[in-house]
Amino acid sequence: MNDQHTLISAAITSLLALGIGTSSGSAYATDHEKCFGIAKAGQNGCNSNKSKHSCAGHSKVDNDPNDFIVVPEGSCLKVGGKLESDEDKPATPGK
Amino acid sequence: MPALCNDLSSFARTIVHGEEPSSEIDTNYTNYSVAVAVGVYRNNYRGNLHDALAGAYPVIEQLVGKDFFRRMTRQFIGQHLSRSGNLHHYGAEMSGFVAEFKPAQDLVYLPDVAALEWACHCAYFADDAAALDLVKLAQIPPVQYSELILCTSPACHLVRSRFPIAAIWHAHQPGAPGDFHIDFDCGSCNALVCRKNDVVMVFELAEADAAWLQGIQAGISLGEATAATLERFPNFDLQAVLLNIVTQGVLVDFSMANH
Protein backbone atom coordinates (compact mmCIF):
# COMPACT_ATOMS: atom_id res chain seq x y z
CA MET A 1 0.00 0.00 0.00
CA ASN A 2 2.87 2.34 0.81
CA ASP A 3 4.50 1.49 -2.48
CA GLN A 4 1.31 2.30 -4.24
CA HIS A 5 0.94 5.59 -2.41
CA THR A 6 4.47 6.51 -3.42
CA LEU A 7 3.70 5.61 -7.00
CA ILE A 8 0.53 7.73 -7.10
CA SER A 9 2.27 10.65 -5.42
CA ALA A 10 5.12 10.48 -7.92
CA ALA A 11 2.70 10.40 -10.84
CA ILE A 12 0.65 13.38 -9.65
CA THR A 13 3.78 15.29 -8.72
CA SER A 14 5.25 14.82 -12.18
CA LEU A 15 1.96 15.94 -13.67
CA LEU A 16 2.07 19.12 -11.59
CA ALA A 17 5.74 19.65 -12.34
CA LEU A 18 5.25 19.48 -16.10
CA GLY A 19 2.45 21.98 -15.85
CA ILE A 20 0.39 20.60 -18.67
CA GLY A 21 -3.27 21.31 -18.65
CA THR A 22 -4.47 24.72 -17.51
CA SER A 23 -1.16 26.50 -17.34
CA SER A 24 -0.35 25.88 -21.00
CA GLY A 25 -3.95 26.14 -22.11
CA SER A 26 -3.17 23.32 -24.43
CA ALA A 27 -6.34 21.31 -24.25
CA TYR A 28 -8.85 23.84 -25.51
CA ALA A 29 -7.21 26.88 -26.98
CA THR A 30 -9.58 29.80 -27.30
CA ASP A 31 -8.27 30.79 -30.72
CA HIS A 32 -10.24 27.92 -32.14
CA GLU A 33 -13.80 28.58 -31.03
CA LYS A 34 -16.42 26.20 -32.31
CA CYS A 35 -19.55 27.93 -33.56
CA PHE A 36 -22.76 26.69 -32.02
CA GLY A 37 -24.40 24.13 -34.26
CA ILE A 38 -21.54 23.84 -36.70
CA ALA A 39 -21.66 20.69 -38.77
CA LYS A 40 -18.94 18.14 -39.30
CA ALA A 41 -16.61 18.87 -42.18
CA GLY A 42 -18.52 18.60 -45.43
CA GLN A 43 -21.87 18.46 -43.71
CA ASN A 44 -24.03 21.49 -43.57
CA GLY A 45 -27.59 22.50 -42.97
CA CYS A 46 -30.29 20.16 -44.07
CA ASN A 47 -27.91 18.62 -46.54
CA SER A 48 -26.36 16.45 -43.92
CA ASN A 49 -23.19 15.46 -45.75
CA LYS A 50 -21.09 15.95 -48.80
CA SER A 51 -23.13 13.83 -51.15
CA LYS A 52 -25.41 15.49 -53.63
CA HIS A 53 -28.59 14.93 -51.65
CA SER A 54 -30.38 17.74 -49.91
CA CYS A 55 -33.86 18.55 -48.71
CA ALA A 56 -34.92 19.34 -52.22
CA GLY A 57 -32.43 17.15 -53.96
CA HIS A 58 -34.08 13.75 -54.00
CA SER A 59 -36.30 14.55 -56.89
CA LYS A 60 -36.79 10.96 -57.91
CA VAL A 61 -39.43 8.61 -56.69
CA ASP A 62 -36.87 6.06 -55.60
CA ASN A 63 -33.17 6.01 -56.29
CA ASP A 64 -32.53 2.81 -54.41
CA PRO A 65 -32.99 -0.50 -56.13
CA ASN A 66 -34.52 -3.08 -53.84
CA ASP A 67 -32.19 -5.92 -54.58
CA PHE A 68 -29.19 -6.49 -52.42
CA ILE A 69 -25.68 -6.70 -53.67
CA VAL A 70 -24.75 -9.66 -51.56
CA VAL A 71 -21.02 -9.05 -51.50
CA PRO A 72 -19.44 -5.94 -50.01
CA GLU A 73 -17.04 -4.51 -52.53
CA GLY A 74 -15.18 -1.73 -50.73
CA SER A 75 -11.79 -1.68 -49.07
CA CYS A 76 -12.77 -4.61 -46.84
CA LEU A 77 -11.22 -6.71 -49.59
CA LYS A 78 -7.91 -5.20 -48.50
CA VAL A 79 -8.61 -5.67 -44.81
CA GLY A 80 -8.04 -9.37 -44.90
CA GLY A 81 -10.77 -10.16 -47.41
CA LYS A 82 -13.32 -12.68 -46.25
CA LEU A 83 -13.00 -13.73 -42.67
CA GLU A 84 -14.41 -16.63 -40.76
CA SER A 85 -17.65 -15.60 -39.12
CA ASP A 86 -17.22 -18.27 -36.47
CA GLU A 87 -16.63 -16.37 -33.23
CA ASP A 88 -13.95 -18.72 -31.97
CA LYS A 89 -11.82 -18.93 -35.04
CA PRO A 90 -8.99 -16.43 -35.05
CA ALA A 91 -9.21 -13.86 -37.80
CA THR A 92 -6.50 -14.26 -40.37
CA PRO A 93 -5.29 -11.72 -42.85
CA GLY A 94 -6.05 -12.48 -46.46
CA LYS A 95 -3.47 -11.83 -49.09
CA MET B 1 -55.20 20.65 -33.64
CA PRO B 2 -56.22 16.97 -33.26
CA ALA B 3 -57.16 17.03 -36.93
CA LEU B 4 -53.69 18.27 -37.90
CA CYS B 5 -52.10 15.69 -35.63
CA ASN B 6 -54.11 12.93 -37.24
CA ASP B 7 -53.22 14.17 -40.68
CA LEU B 8 -49.52 14.21 -39.83
CA SER B 9 -49.64 10.73 -38.28
CA SER B 10 -51.35 9.41 -41.33
CA PHE B 11 -48.84 11.12 -43.60
CA ALA B 12 -45.93 9.75 -41.55
CA ARG B 13 -47.29 6.21 -41.88
CA THR B 14 -47.60 6.75 -45.60
CA ILE B 15 -43.98 7.91 -45.88
CA VAL B 16 -42.34 5.55 -43.40
CA HIS B 17 -44.44 2.40 -43.66
CA GLY B 18 -45.76 2.73 -47.19
CA GLU B 19 -49.44 2.89 -46.22
CA GLU B 20 -51.94 4.20 -48.73
CA PRO B 21 -51.98 8.00 -48.75
CA SER B 22 -54.88 9.45 -46.79
CA SER B 23 -57.67 10.96 -48.83
CA GLU B 24 -56.94 14.22 -46.97
CA ILE B 25 -53.72 14.74 -48.91
CA ASP B 26 -54.02 17.62 -51.32
CA THR B 27 -54.29 16.23 -54.83
CA ASN B 28 -54.25 19.52 -56.70
CA TYR B 29 -51.03 18.95 -58.63
CA THR B 30 -50.97 19.38 -62.35
CA ASN B 31 -47.74 17.51 -62.99
CA TYR B 32 -47.81 14.76 -60.38
CA SER B 33 -50.14 12.08 -59.20
CA VAL B 34 -50.40 11.72 -55.42
CA ALA B 35 -48.51 8.43 -55.64
CA VAL B 36 -45.58 10.06 -57.45
CA ALA B 37 -45.51 13.03 -55.06
CA VAL B 38 -45.51 10.71 -52.05
CA GLY B 39 -42.77 8.66 -53.69
CA VAL B 40 -40.58 11.74 -54.08
CA TYR B 41 -41.18 12.73 -50.47
CA ARG B 42 -40.34 9.23 -49.26
CA ASN B 43 -37.16 9.25 -51.32
CA ASN B 44 -36.14 12.53 -49.69
CA TYR B 45 -36.87 11.07 -46.28
CA ARG B 46 -34.73 8.00 -46.92
CA GLY B 47 -32.04 9.96 -48.71
CA ASN B 48 -31.54 12.36 -45.82
CA LEU B 49 -31.32 9.54 -43.30
CA HIS B 50 -28.87 7.73 -45.57
CA ASP B 51 -26.75 10.88 -45.74
CA ALA B 52 -26.84 11.24 -41.97
CA LEU B 53 -25.58 7.64 -41.66
CA ALA B 54 -22.92 8.15 -44.32
CA GLY B 55 -21.75 11.21 -42.36
CA ALA B 56 -21.50 9.22 -39.13
CA TYR B 57 -20.02 6.05 -40.67
CA PRO B 58 -17.56 7.07 -43.42
CA VAL B 59 -15.20 4.17 -42.64
CA ILE B 60 -17.98 1.58 -42.83
CA GLU B 61 -19.06 3.06 -46.15
CA GLN B 62 -15.51 2.73 -47.51
CA LEU B 63 -15.13 -0.79 -46.15
CA VAL B 64 -18.26 -2.20 -47.79
CA GLY B 65 -18.50 0.11 -50.79
CA LYS B 66 -21.10 2.77 -51.56
CA ASP B 67 -23.68 0.47 -53.17
CA PHE B 68 -23.58 -2.08 -50.39
CA PHE B 69 -23.72 0.70 -47.79
CA ARG B 70 -26.77 2.24 -49.44
CA ARG B 71 -28.63 -1.04 -49.40
CA MET B 72 -27.55 -1.75 -45.85
CA THR B 73 -28.68 1.68 -44.62
CA ARG B 74 -31.97 1.29 -46.44
CA GLN B 75 -32.69 -1.74 -44.31
CA PHE B 76 -31.48 0.10 -41.19
CA ILE B 77 -33.76 3.03 -41.98
CA GLY B 78 -36.68 0.64 -42.33
CA GLN B 79 -36.00 -0.73 -38.85
CA HIS B 80 -34.97 2.42 -36.99
CA LEU B 81 -36.99 5.62 -36.91
CA SER B 82 -35.28 8.91 -36.27
CA ARG B 83 -36.20 9.83 -32.68
CA SER B 84 -34.68 13.29 -32.62
CA GLY B 85 -35.11 16.51 -34.54
CA ASN B 86 -31.31 16.54 -34.79
CA LEU B 87 -30.11 14.16 -37.53
CA HIS B 88 -26.72 13.89 -35.81
CA HIS B 89 -28.43 11.74 -33.18
CA TYR B 90 -29.48 9.22 -35.80
CA GLY B 91 -27.67 5.92 -36.22
CA ALA B 92 -26.63 4.90 -32.69
CA GLU B 93 -27.86 1.33 -33.24
CA MET B 94 -25.64 0.69 -36.26
CA SER B 95 -23.12 -1.55 -34.50
CA GLY B 96 -25.78 -3.98 -33.31
CA PHE B 97 -27.55 -3.78 -36.65
CA VAL B 98 -24.37 -4.63 -38.58
CA ALA B 99 -23.72 -7.61 -36.30
CA GLU B 100 -27.10 -9.05 -37.30
CA PHE B 101 -26.89 -8.05 -40.96
CA LYS B 102 -26.44 -11.32 -42.83
CA PRO B 103 -24.78 -10.05 -46.04
CA ALA B 104 -21.96 -8.54 -43.91
CA GLN B 105 -21.46 -11.55 -41.65
CA ASP B 106 -18.04 -12.35 -43.09
CA LEU B 107 -16.69 -8.99 -42.01
CA VAL B 108 -16.48 -9.92 -38.35
CA TYR B 109 -14.74 -6.70 -37.37
CA LEU B 110 -17.47 -4.47 -38.84
CA PRO B 111 -19.66 -4.12 -35.69
CA ASP B 112 -16.66 -2.96 -33.64
CA VAL B 113 -15.56 -0.51 -36.33
CA ALA B 114 -19.12 0.84 -36.30
CA ALA B 115 -18.95 1.22 -32.52
CA LEU B 116 -15.67 3.13 -32.88
CA GLU B 117 -17.15 5.40 -35.55
CA TRP B 118 -20.20 6.17 -33.41
CA ALA B 119 -17.86 7.03 -30.51
CA CYS B 120 -15.97 9.40 -32.85
CA HIS B 121 -19.25 10.90 -34.04
CA CYS B 122 -20.42 11.49 -30.46
CA ALA B 123 -16.99 12.84 -29.51
CA TYR B 124 -17.23 15.43 -32.25
CA PHE B 125 -20.56 16.75 -30.99
CA ALA B 126 -19.88 16.33 -27.26
CA ASP B 127 -19.98 19.37 -24.99
CA ASP B 128 -16.77 21.31 -24.52
CA ALA B 129 -14.98 20.74 -21.25
CA ALA B 130 -12.35 22.84 -19.52
CA ALA B 131 -8.81 21.55 -19.24
CA LEU B 132 -7.77 19.93 -15.98
CA ASP B 133 -7.14 22.64 -13.38
CA LEU B 134 -3.63 21.89 -12.14
CA VAL B 135 -3.66 24.83 -9.75
CA LYS B 136 -6.63 23.28 -8.00
CA LEU B 137 -4.98 19.85 -8.09
CA ALA B 138 -1.84 21.28 -6.52
CA GLN B 139 -3.90 22.29 -3.48
CA ILE B 140 -4.77 18.68 -2.68
CA PRO B 141 -2.51 17.26 0.07
CA PRO B 142 -0.50 14.32 -1.33
CA VAL B 143 -1.83 11.99 1.37
CA GLN B 144 -5.25 12.33 -0.24
CA TYR B 145 -4.18 11.54 -3.82
CA SER B 146 -5.53 8.00 -3.58
CA GLU B 147 -8.98 9.41 -2.85
CA LEU B 148 -9.10 11.40 -6.08
CA ILE B 149 -12.02 10.66 -8.38
CA LEU B 150 -10.89 11.67 -11.85
CA CYS B 151 -13.47 12.85 -14.37
CA THR B 152 -13.00 12.23 -18.06
CA SER B 153 -14.11 14.53 -20.86
CA PRO B 154 -17.58 13.97 -22.35
CA ALA B 155 -15.76 13.57 -25.67
CA CYS B 156 -13.66 10.68 -24.34
CA HIS B 157 -14.67 7.12 -25.18
CA LEU B 158 -12.87 3.82 -24.81
CA VAL B 159 -13.81 1.21 -27.42
CA ARG B 160 -12.36 -2.26 -26.91
CA SER B 161 -12.27 -4.92 -29.58
CA ARG B 162 -10.51 -8.17 -30.38
CA PHE B 163 -9.86 -6.75 -33.86
CA PRO B 164 -7.40 -4.03 -34.88
CA ILE B 165 -10.16 -1.42 -35.23
CA ALA B 166 -7.89 1.59 -34.61
CA ALA B 167 -5.59 0.53 -37.47
CA ILE B 168 -8.61 0.01 -39.74
CA TRP B 169 -9.97 3.43 -38.77
CA HIS B 170 -6.64 5.19 -39.40
CA ALA B 171 -6.25 3.50 -42.79
CA HIS B 172 -9.54 5.07 -43.91
CA GLN B 173 -9.02 8.66 -42.85
CA PRO B 174 -8.71 11.40 -45.46
CA GLY B 175 -5.09 11.62 -46.56
CA ALA B 176 -4.21 8.10 -45.47
CA PRO B 177 -2.25 6.18 -48.11
CA GLY B 178 -4.66 3.97 -50.05
CA ASP B 179 -2.33 1.03 -49.82
CA PHE B 180 -2.43 -0.43 -46.36
CA HIS B 181 -1.91 -3.69 -44.59
CA ILE B 182 -3.83 -4.58 -41.46
CA ASP B 183 -2.27 -7.21 -39.26
CA PHE B 184 -5.06 -9.28 -37.75
CA ASP B 185 -2.62 -11.18 -35.58
CA CYS B 186 -1.75 -8.15 -33.50
CA GLY B 187 -4.40 -9.06 -30.96
CA SER B 188 -7.04 -6.99 -29.25
CA CYS B 189 -7.27 -3.24 -29.57
CA ASN B 190 -8.16 -0.62 -27.00
CA ALA B 191 -9.13 2.45 -28.99
CA LEU B 192 -9.24 5.71 -27.04
CA VAL B 193 -11.35 8.39 -28.71
CA CYS B 194 -10.83 11.98 -27.61
CA ARG B 195 -11.10 15.46 -29.04
CA LYS B 196 -8.53 18.22 -29.03
CA ASN B 197 -8.97 21.60 -30.72
CA ASP B 198 -12.17 20.31 -32.31
CA VAL B 199 -10.36 17.41 -33.97
CA VAL B 200 -11.42 13.88 -33.04
CA MET B 201 -8.47 11.56 -32.51
CA VAL B 202 -8.12 7.82 -32.02
CA PHE B 203 -5.23 6.39 -29.99
CA GLU B 204 -4.38 2.88 -29.00
CA LEU B 205 -3.92 2.12 -25.32
CA ALA B 206 -2.01 -0.77 -23.82
CA GLU B 207 -4.15 -3.38 -22.08
CA ALA B 208 -3.13 -2.19 -18.61
CA ASP B 209 -3.77 1.48 -19.41
CA ALA B 210 -7.19 0.66 -20.84
CA ALA B 211 -8.14 -1.41 -17.79
CA TRP B 212 -7.11 1.47 -15.54
CA LEU B 213 -8.99 4.08 -17.58
CA GLN B 214 -12.09 1.91 -17.60
CA GLY B 215 -11.98 1.90 -13.81
CA ILE B 216 -11.52 5.66 -13.74
CA GLN B 217 -14.46 6.12 -16.12
CA ALA B 218 -16.57 3.93 -13.86
CA GLY B 219 -15.95 6.44 -11.07
CA ILE B 220 -13.51 4.38 -8.99
CA SER B 221 -10.97 6.35 -6.97
CA LEU B 222 -7.43 6.78 -8.27
CA GLY B 223 -6.09 4.52 -5.48
CA GLU B 224 -8.57 1.71 -6.12
CA ALA B 225 -8.23 1.84 -9.89
CA THR B 226 -4.44 1.80 -9.66
CA ALA B 227 -4.40 -1.07 -7.14
CA ALA B 228 -6.77 -3.16 -9.26
CA THR B 229 -4.68 -2.53 -12.37
CA LEU B 230 -1.37 -3.31 -10.65
CA GLU B 231 -2.80 -6.60 -9.44
CA ARG B 232 -3.40 -7.71 -13.04
CA PHE B 233 -0.52 -5.82 -14.67
CA PRO B 234 2.48 -5.50 -12.30
CA ASN B 235 4.34 -3.37 -14.88
CA PHE B 236 1.54 -0.81 -15.18
CA ASP B 237 3.09 2.67 -15.53
CA LEU B 238 0.67 5.12 -13.90
CA GLN B 239 2.88 8.15 -14.45
CA ALA B 240 3.11 7.55 -18.20
CA VAL B 241 -0.58 7.00 -18.75
CA LEU B 242 -1.51 9.95 -16.57
CA LEU B 243 0.75 12.32 -18.51
CA ASN B 244 -0.48 10.89 -21.79
CA ILE B 245 -4.19 11.29 -21.15
CA VAL B 246 -3.90 14.72 -19.53
CA THR B 247 -1.95 15.90 -22.58
CA GLN B 248 -4.76 14.60 -24.80
CA GLY B 249 -7.40 16.44 -22.79
CA VAL B 250 -8.99 13.23 -21.54
CA LEU B 251 -9.03 14.26 -17.87
CA VAL B 252 -10.99 17.42 -17.22
CA ASP B 253 -11.81 17.54 -13.52
CA PHE B 254 -11.60 15.72 -10.20
CA SER B 255 -13.36 15.40 -6.89
CA MET B 256 -12.59 13.64 -3.63
CA ALA B 257 -13.98 10.18 -2.85
CA ASN B 258 -14.98 11.07 0.70
CA HIS B 259 -16.99 14.16 -0.17
Side-chain angles (χ1 to χ4, degrees), chain A residues 20 22 53 55 64 75 78, chain B residues 44 51 74 132 134 172 178 223:
Chain A
I20 45 179
T22 323
H53 291 315
C55 285
D64 294 337
S75 61
K78 284 195 273 180
Chain B
N44 274 282
D51 291 354
R74 176 153 181 163
L132 184 64
L134 290 181
H172 291 86

Side-chain angles (χ1 to χ4, degrees), chain B residues 134-153:
Chain B
L134 290 181
V135 175
K136 195 173 122 195
L137 183 61
Q139 290 163 2
I140 303 293
V143 289
Q144 292 179 19
Y145 283 165
S146 291
E147 307 300 316
L148 285 168
I149 305 275
L150 304 174
C151 308
T152 57
S153 156

Side-chain angles (χ1 to χ4, degrees), chain A residues 25-70:
Chain A
S26 62
Y28 297 101
T30 49
D31 60 351
H32 197 105
E33 285 287 336
K34 182 156 65 173
C35 300
F36 180 76
I38 198 167
K40 267 165 123 175
Q43 304 184 21
N44 214 345
C46 56
N47 177 2
S48 86
N49 82 356
K50 50 196 126 190
S51 83
K52 61 184 181 297
H53 291 315
S54 71
C55 285
H58 302 267
S59 55
K60 294 178 191 167
V61 175
D62 191 342
N63 58 10
D64 294 337
N66 284 310
D67 296 332
F68 269 96
I69 290 179
V70 182

Side-chain angles (χ1 to χ4, degrees), chain A residues 1-14, chain B residues 142-143 145-146 226 230 238-239:
Chain A
M1 207 54 199
N2 269 340
D3 281 356
Q4 192 197 310
H5 181 75
T6 311
L7 192 140
I8 291 176
S9 289
I12 299 279
T13 306
S14 73
Chain B
V143 289
Y145 283 165
S146 291
T226 304
L230 281 169
L238 175 67
Q239 186 168 325

